[in-house]
Amino acid sequence: MSAPTIPAPRTGYQRSTAKGSNFELAAWLFMRLSGVLLVILIFGHLIVNMWLGDGVHQIDFAFVAGKWASPFWQIWDLLMLWLAMLHGTNGVRTVILDYAERPATRMTLQVVLYIASLVVVVLGTLVIFTFDPCIAGADFQFCPA
């Protein structure tokens, strides 16, 4: 029985020809694109909410109600929510794949992650689109009298 040999340093590398799913490539590309878009969305959010006007002192129920009266800000916040959750979920999925050694543990952690992410996205979307600033007794300028 002979010992395995190490190939010569100048031996050509033989790339695997196995054709598989491009999911990991798509996930990698999504992380880069969503990261850039999230930076734009988040800094826009921070500038409008924290820098313009009275800063953090202006943020209250009426401020949020006024912003969400506009479909533009609803879509802005929805994009921020969805991209942040998908970006974060994909990142945690990668950590799970890297560090969970047993397949059962890996599957359990991924199922918990996907369920938690889905719950946050669904509830956040519902809040954004069903938010009613005109609760009983509300006296805001955009509520019908």
Side-chain angles (χ1 to χ4, degrees):
M1 181 163 118
S2 65
T5 60
I6 298 174
R10 305 235 183 248
T11 304
Y13 172 72
Q14 297 297 321
R15 185 176 297 265
S16 172
T17 59
K19 298 291 182 200
S21 170
N22 283 332
F23 178 77
E24 290 301 326
L25 174 63
W28 179 87
L29 189 60
F30 171 77
M31 290 298 275
R32 274 64 190 168
L33 296 175
S34 67
V36 169
L37 192 53
L38 275 168
V39 166
I40 295 167
L41 290 170
I42 290 168
F43 276 109
H45 177 83
L46 290 174
I47 287 169
V48 168
N49 291 336
M50 302 295 178
W51 195 42
L52 301 177
D54 294 332
V56 73
H57 303 293
Q58 72 185 349
I59 299 177
D60 58 6
F61 183 86
F63 178 80
V64 174
K67 269 187 67 180
W68 282 354
S70 164
F72 174 81
W73 288 113
Q74 285 180 324
I75 299 298
W76 185 285
D77 286 351
L78 183 74
L79 273 173
M80 217 170 28
L81 169 71
W82 279 46
L83 282 175
M85 285 306 298
L86 291 173
H87 186 93
T89 300
N90 191 34
V92 174
R93 179 191 67 85
T94 303
V95 171
I96 290 170
L97 291 176
D98 285 347
Y99 290 103
E101 294 179 5
R102 291 189 287 157
T105 303
R106 181 178 294 151
M107 180 62 72
T108 302
L109 290 172
Q110 284 182 323
V111 167
V112 169
L113 171 67
Y114 296 147
I115 289 171
S117 298
L118 183 66
V119 166
V120 170
V121 166
V122 168
L123 289 177
T125 302
L126 285 172
V127 166
I128 289 171
F129 286 115
T130 63
F131 180 75
D132 184 13
C134 299
I135 56 176
D139 186 26
F140 297 124
Q141 70 270 12
F142 40 80
C143 293

